[in-house]
Amino acid sequence: MSTRHNIFSLGCAPLALIVGMLAAAPVQAQTTTQPAATQPEGEAIIITGSRIRRDPLEQPAPVVFVDRSDIDKTGLVSAADVLQRIPSSGGALNSKFNNSGNFGNPPDGGGVGAGAAEVDLRYLGSKRVLVLVDGLRWLNGASASGVPGSTDLNTIPESMIERIEVLQDGASSIYGSDAIAGVVNIITKKGQDGLRASAQYGQYLSEGDGETQNYQLSWGNGNDGRLKIVVGGNYVKQKGVSSADRSISLFPTPGATACDSSCSSGTPLGRFIVLGQSLTLKAPVAGRPRFDPLDPTGPNSDFKAFTTADRFNFAPFNFIQTPLERYGGFANINFEVSDATNFTLKGVYNRRNSKNQAAPLPLFVGPDSGNGNLLDTVTIDGSNPFNPFGTLNSGFGAAPRNYDFIGRRVVEGGPRRYSQKVDTYYVSATLDGSFHVLDDVLYWDVNAIWGKNKARQTVLGNVNADHVRRALGPVADCVGASDGCVPLNIFGGEGSITPDMYNYIAFTQRDRSDQRLADVSANLSGSLFDLPAGPFGIAIGYEHRDVKGSFDPDPIVAAGFGSDIPAQPTSGQVNSDEIYGELSIPLLKERPFFHQLDVQLAARFSDYSNAGSNTTFKGSVNWKPVEDLLLRGSWAEGFRAPTVGESFGTPSRFDQEITDPCSAVGGAIPAAVRDNCIALGVPADGSYVQANPQLSVVTGGNRDLTAETSESWVVGGVYSPSWAKDAGFLRSLSIEANYFDIEVKDAIQAIDADVLLGRCVTSLDPFSCASVSRTSSGAISQIRGFLQNIAGIDTDGLDVTLNLRSTETGAGSFGLYWTNTFLFNYDVTVPATVGTTTTSLEGTERGSPDQAFPKYKSTAILDWSLGDFAASLTGRYIRGVREPDDNNKLGSRLYTDVQLRWTPDFMDEAFGFAIGVNNLFDKDPPPCISCGLNNMDPTTYDVPGQFGYVRVSFKM
């Protein structure tokens, strides 16, 4: 089928809905490709994507604008959630992620990022999106779980946001590293007359949970006088939604009503792979269980054979929406030093309190546990008063190995609870002004930034592996010891771990991390002279930046004695110096077929302490053959220097959901695979069965990484017909289309663990097999995949947007905004033993880590206003995707949101009231087999349930 036919067929369904419903078609965030209403038409300003001032109606690159009213119309309490609804946005962290203790650190060098909210463009990852605040860099996030290379938008108080500009084009030559996929520029309030306040409350209607509160307050002294002040604050509180309260997340497998192999073998009754047997208790036992070695499952034994039905259902203990509290404040102070000089000071403080939760700790001991720490080497002494098996040797000492694995769910400690506290401090100072050179004006600014994110995490439910070892060892070495050792009973089932036992092995884990930014820059822009077609624009500048990051896990964890996710301290610093130049050259104006023809050129030289030097170039063309039609095209080089976490990150573990092809689970093993498995050391008798769906993947940074590079093309245009205004019933009409093609080279990535395992098993590839370690029983103990400059990413697609606004009629004023993104290709290429391997992800669900790549996403919004009343009807459409490994189709989803507003004229519009419902028709997310938690992709779909809210606003 041709691309053209694909586009037509993809668009038919939402187009029919728009025609039939006047707007319930595919929708995401309320956005507009037109300049923000606060910008005077025709006035030369700086729009994201260029340092040169220009008419905002003639912007040289595709920019999406989201203003304050657009954010309010969504009913969401996070700017990140709003941006994640833009169709060109891929998946990123948000409040639907609950991964702290379930999977460990993803293999990207950035840590878990628990409680953070980020933005991704073009599915290239949030670390390839540059976030600015008023054109200046914002600092990277911190969550006390690694050193991420992405910005946490939860660190920015929403009360300071006036609008958000999203550049959907590469901009490394303008802004430097990270701007491969695009730029998000948050514009803050700089002038306000009087007080603005709002309060919003919402919850899931049928379930009565997930309550949110959002309070915003700001005040300004007006725009008169030389001193302008805007100050404000906000408070946001979001309660959690338990996975136990949604049907989709009751079991690890979608639609299941009982445990299958996806449930855990770490059960309250215990799983014991000892002396050649796989056993569990028949029931809890007080004291020491009976074990008959001649008949292990007979009447004289308290044990029975372990079966799938005995597995533990960990799913109901998670969150499907995490609890979150944010409060903060800001101050924008601008002082007019003289008629040509201004001083601006911005200060921001923000606190984030967030929580995650996982099922009670699965305590795994023995050589097949795959912990990668002391617990894999534990020998359980025969003198332990609760051990019915005699001494169990792990094989790491002089005695031969006689047991493989013991898994005991420590339900006595309750769920694992993770609490993060993140403090953000940010100060920027700008001195700017202008001066005349003959008849032209040049603008200058000098900026200084200091920012810090300080994160602290407290974890309850972890245990000290060294204390576990002592408590399971010789009783003579434990009883009476100075550290209060108490012999541990992991054999008697639920309740057998007494408070004294638990208090000895348990500890409160305290982790911390910091990210710091220091930045100074200077810019000069303006026009040097006039050409026949207009002013010759120029911008030049210099920037020096210091970025520091550190992660310090709890000392017990750092020593290798934690029983949950292992981690080591990380710290590093990256310095950079950069210079850039930009030209805007008008070539033709008001000629036949050349109403306007401009060329923009840019170059930037960067020198990074960890990645060397790099020079990037960009060129773009604006052509108006007639006044109503703007055609534009751009070519850009990009780069991204390795982040602190990628360069200096220490090894950490990621528990990835992978099926070992050598396991007997799921049926007979093909003969060729079976022979290879035997050659890899898997027992020929078929006794090896994968104990858990998750396998331990060790990942980490690499100091030898170099910068990623990219090449991007954007070709498109905007049609704004003047006849629409002349028709009398339309105030404005525009149609915009942009084709994008982005190729990333030497992308920083680890070879996927399932790829390494698959290559090893199917072809005995030496490189891949060297990365996979197995124990003598055949179990995989570890897969190693460290970051390298190995990947190539090639993606292309099309954005199409329709924007119209009617004049005032007897029935009111109407507006329709309809934006669409078509993803044609998304290919990831990694090296193979011979040549390369390319995986096409468009139209698929990747799963673990979760990410859907729909071929089509769309947002349509119908606005209506009449007198004191207004309403919005929004549709958000996501085309279905498939899971390649599970042969499962995630069906298409159409979410519908509605909001009604009242702003009484008799109160001089000082009071406003809004009521709305998101997901009006209660659409559930499509069930996902490969997704990590809750059987849904949190990057793409809503929490199940109708979310209703009310908001009141006030100004004076």
Side-chain angles (χ1 to χ4, degrees):
M1 183 180 292
S2 68
T3 299
R4 179 177 299 176
H5 187 260
N6 274 325
I7 296 174
F8 176 78
S9 62
L10 288 171
C12 283
L15 181 60
L17 285 167
I18 285 182
V19 173
M21 292 182 58
L22 291 178
V27 179
Q28 300 229 328
Q30 171 96 4
T31 56
T32 171
T33 53
Q34 296 299 316
T38 55
Q39 298 296 344
E41 184 173 331
E43 180 179 329
I45 61 172
I46 294 178
I47 296 292
T48 305
S50 173
R51 302 276 190 178
I52 300 175
R53 295 170 183 259
R54 65 185 70 246
D55 185 335
L57 297 178
E58 297 174 356
Q59 60 203 44
V63 178
V64 175
F65 293 83
V66 183
D67 65 21
R68 181 75 255 172
S69 64
D70 297 331
I71 297 173
D72 291 341
K73 289 176 184 177
T74 66
L76 302 172
V77 297
S78 167
D81 289 342
V82 175
L83 294 176
Q84 287 183 16
R85 288 187 169 190
I86 298 173
S88 60
S89 175
L93 288 175
N94 55 49
S95 62
K96 298 188 288 293
F97 278 84
N98 180 54
N99 290 359
S100 289
N102 299 281
F103 300 102
N105 294 295
D108 61 2
V112 175
E118 300 171 354
V119 60
D120 175 14
L121 296 174
R122 309 298 188 201
Y123 304 97
L124 291 173
S126 53
K127 62 187 178 183
R128 297 187 180 98
V129 177
L130 177 61
V131 175
L132 309 174
V133 173
D134 293 326
L136 303 176
R137 280 183 179 255
W138 193 257
L139 68 162
N140 287 335
S143 294
S145 57
V147 186
S150 306
T151 297
D152 175 12
L153 294 181
N154 276 339
T155 62
I156 301 175
E158 278 85 359
S159 58
M160 68 188 285
I161 298 175
E162 179 177 286
R163 70 179 187 276
I164 304 174
E165 299 174 356
V166 182
L167 173 67
Q168 302 186 105
D169 192 6
S172 290
S173 59
I174 308 297
Y175 299 110
S177 178
D178 306 337
I180 286 179
V183 178
V184 172
N185 191 8
I186 296 174
I187 310 301
T188 65
K189 298 175 181 177
K190 301 178 185 64
Q192 181 174 301
D193 188 6
L195 182 70
R196 303 286 187 275
S198 67
Q200 178 176 305
Y201 174 85
Q203 68 176 41
Y204 289 94
L205 299 178
S206 300
E207 299 82 1
D209 56 11
E211 297 95 334
T212 64
Q213 303 172 59
N214 184 4
Y215 305 97
Q216 310 280 342
L217 180 69
S218 61
W219 173 86
N221 67 341
N223 293 317
D224 296 329
R226 301 178 64 178
L227 178 65
K228 299 181 180 65
I229 301 174
V230 181
V231 296
N234 62 271
Y235 176 81
V236 174
K237 185 173 184 180
Q238 173 181 280
K239 292 187 178 181
V241 174
S242 172
S243 54
D245 294 329
R246 297 295 189 273
S247 59
I248 193 173
S249 50
L250 290 178
F251 286 88
T253 298
T257 57
C259 264
D260 56 18
S261 60
S262 295
C263 288
S264 174
S265 62
T267 74
L269 291 176
R271 184 183 184 184
F272 309 91
I273 304 179
V274 300
L275 307 175
Q277 304 285 329
S278 179
L279 306 171
T280 188
L281 284 174
K282 297 174 181 176
V285 175
R288 183 176 184 171
R290 296 175 302 153
F291 175 71
D292 183 354
L294 299 178
D295 189 7
T297 60
N300 296 321
S301 175
D302 289 318
F303 296 89
K304 66 174 185 175
F306 183 87
T307 67
T308 297
D310 297 312
R311 289 179 174 268
F312 177 75
N313 181 17
F314 55 83
F317 293 88
N318 299 309
F319 285 128
I320 202 167
Q321 174 177 285
T322 58
L324 178 72
E325 181 184 45
R326 288 183 283 119
Y327 55 86
F330 75 96
N332 260 339
I333 302 172
N334 180 271
F335 179 68
E336 186 179 328
V337 179
S338 68
D339 290 342
T341 307
N342 300 285
F343 175 73
T344 302
L345 181 67
K346 181 190 293 96
V348 177
Y349 169 75
N350 190 79
R351 159 63 74 89
R352 164 169 61 91
N353 299 321
S354 52
K355 294 183 180 181
N356 310 85
Q357 182 172 291
L361 178 76
L363 178 60
F364 293 162
V365 298
D368 284 359
S369 299
N371 294 292
N373 60 22
L374 180 67
L375 292 174
D376 297 349
T377 68
V378 167
T379 289
I380 305 176
D381 197 77
S383 65
N384 179 289
F386 311 105
N387 178 5
F389 302 111
T391 298
L392 298 175
N393 298 305
S394 63
F396 285 88
R401 165 176 168 171
N402 64 352
Y403 89 106
D404 299 324
F405 170 87
I406 293 177
R408 168 66 154 84
R409 185 70 59 165
V410 188
V411 293
E412 291 84 352
R416 286 166 287 169
R417 288 142 287 167
Y418 306 79
S419 300
Q420 302 87 32
K421 298 182 184 297
V422 183
D423 291 296
T424 301
Y425 309 87
Y426 182 90
V427 178
S428 67
T430 296
L431 191 65
D432 70 275
S434 61
F435 59 91
H436 288 266
V437 177
L438 299 178
D439 294 330
D440 295 303
V441 180
L442 291 178
Y443 300 89
W444 61 270
D445 59 84
V446 179
N447 311 279
I449 302 170
W450 177 87
K452 178 180 180 180
N453 268 322
K454 178 181 178 181
R456 301 294 181 266
Q457 177 173 253
T458 301
V459 182
L460 302 177
N462 202 352
V463 302
N464 185 322
D466 190 46
H467 283 196
V468 170
R469 177 190 62 81
R470 286 175 51 80
L472 291 174
V475 68
D477 294 341
C478 177
V479 176
S482 60
D483 64 353
C485 179
V486 180
L488 178 63
N489 183 3
I490 61 172
F491 303 96
E494 184 173 357
S496 64
I497 299 178
T498 66
D500 286 344
M501 296 177 188
Y502 183 76
N503 290 337
Y504 175 66
I505 63 173
F507 73 101
T508 299
Q509 179 180 333
R510 304 184 190 277
D511 311 315
R512 62 181 183 177
S513 70
D514 298 273
Q515 292 250 45
R516 301 188 185 193
L517 169 68
D519 188 299
V520 292
S521 62
N523 303 283
L524 179 67
S525 66
S527 58
L528 294 180
F529 49 84
D530 288 339
L531 296 174
F536 182 94
I538 186 173
I540 57 175
Y542 165 79
E543 183 174 6
H544 173 80
R545 185 164 61 255
D546 292 332
V547 177
K548 297 180 181 179
S550 66
F551 166 51
D552 292 299
D554 189 279
I556 293 176
V557 175
F561 295 153
S563 299
D564 203 0
I565 302 302
Q568 294 290 314
T570 293
S571 65
Q573 180 175 357
V574 176
N575 304 322
S576 63
D577 289 280
E578 301 176 282
I579 57 173
Y580 78 91
E582 183 183 358
L583 299 176
S584 177
I585 308 171
L587 300 179
L588 294 171
K589 184 177 182 179
E590 296 180 354
R591 302 282 185 90
F593 301 107
F594 291 96
H595 183 78
Q596 176 186 327
L597 180 63
D598 298 339
V599 173
Q600 291 80 37
L601 303 172
R604 190 180 191 98
F605 174 79
S606 305
D607 187 22
Y608 276 76
S609 61
N610 67 334
S613 59
N614 192 289
T615 303
T616 55
F617 299 93
K618 181 173 183 177
S620 59
V621 178
N622 275 8
W623 173 36
K624 279 190 170 184
V626 294
E627 184 176 5
D628 294 349
L629 177 63
L630 170 64
L631 302 176
R632 61 192 175 203
S634 70
W635 166 85
E637 293 179 320
F639 84 103
R640 187 181 72 85
T643 67
V644 171
E646 290 171 331
S647 287
F648 306 103
T650 50
S652 58
R653 194 181 83 210
F654 177 60
D655 294 337
Q656 187 168 346
E657 293 190 355
I658 307 173
T659 299
D660 183 359
C662 293
S663 173
V665 171
I669 299 175
V673 173
R674 176 184 174 86
D675 292 342
N676 288 346
C677 291
I678 294 172
L680 293 170
V682 176
D685 60 5
S687 60
Y688 161 58
V689 176
Q690 183 176 341
N692 285 296
Q694 294 175 335
L695 297 179
S696 295
V697 180
V698 176
T699 184
N702 182 350
R703 297 194 180 210
D704 294 328
L705 292 172
T706 60
E708 302 176 344
T709 60
S710 70
E711 184 177 13
S712 63
W713 294 85
V714 177
V715 179
V718 183
Y719 179 52
S720 302
S722 55
W723 58 259
K725 295 181 180 180
D726 298 337
F729 59 86
L730 287 178
R731 189 191 313 168
S732 63
L733 170 65
S734 67
I735 303 171
E736 179 173 358
N738 296 288
Y739 169 80
F740 64 90
D741 188 318
I742 305 172
E743 182 180 5
V744 183
K745 302 175 182 178
D746 298 322
I748 298 171
Q749 184 173 309
I751 299 179
D752 290 341
D754 54 347
V755 172
L756 289 170
L757 178 59
R759 289 178 183 171
C760 176
V761 171
T762 57
S763 65
L764 298 180
D765 167 45
F767 171 81
S768 300
C769 290
S771 301
V772 181
S773 298
R774 293 182 182 269
T775 69
S776 60
S777 69
I780 293 176
S781 60
Q782 188 180 98
I783 303 174
R784 292 170 294 282
F786 291 87
L787 295 176
Q788 305 172 59
N789 289 99
I790 59 166
I793 303 172
D794 195 353
T795 181
D796 71 318
L798 179 69
D799 300 323
V800 181
T801 299
L802 168 68
N803 201 348
L804 64 85
R805 171 65 60 180
S806 76
T807 58
E808 293 290 341
T809 71
S813 174
F814 295 88
L816 175 63
Y817 172 76
W818 182 26
T819 183
N820 311 266
T821 293
F822 302 88
L823 180 63
F824 298 152
N825 297 285
Y826 194 100
D827 297 331
V828 179
T829 302
V830 296
T833 306
V834 177
T836 60
T837 300
T838 298
T839 303
S840 296
L841 296 176
E842 70 278 359
T844 70
E845 167 63 56
R846 181 179 61 189
S848 190
D850 305 330
Q851 177 68 79
F853 296 81
K855 290 184 178 180
Y856 177 57
K857 292 169 67 178
S858 182
T859 297
I861 303 165
L862 178 68
D863 275 325
W864 167 82
S865 63
L866 177 63
D868 299 349
F869 297 93
S872 297
L873 181 64
T874 300
R876 298 176 281 122
Y877 179 79
I878 305 161
R879 194 188 183 197
V881 295
R882 58 183 174 82
E883 298 180 82
D885 294 336
D886 295 293
N887 195 29
N888 179 47
K889 176 71 178 295
L890 279 66
S892 302
R893 285 297 180 269
L894 172 61
Y895 294 112
T896 304
D897 309 329
V898 63
Q899 185 186 88
L900 305 176
R901 299 180 295 279
W902 178 48
T903 308
D905 186 62
F906 69 85
M907 297 184 67
D908 197 24
E909 298 185 347
F911 171 81
F913 176 81
I915 184 170
V917 178
N918 291 342
N919 192 11
L920 179 65
F921 298 113
D922 199 12
K923 294 290 186 180
D924 286 338
C928 174
I929 297 173
S930 62
C931 292
L933 279 182
N934 298 323
N935 301 319
M936 62 170 283
D937 181 349
T939 71
T940 309
Y941 304 99
D942 288 7
V943 171
Q946 298 168 306
F947 183 82
Y949 60 91
V950 294
R951 183 177 65 251
V952 294
S953 58
F954 176 76
K955 64 180 181 179
M956 62 176 297

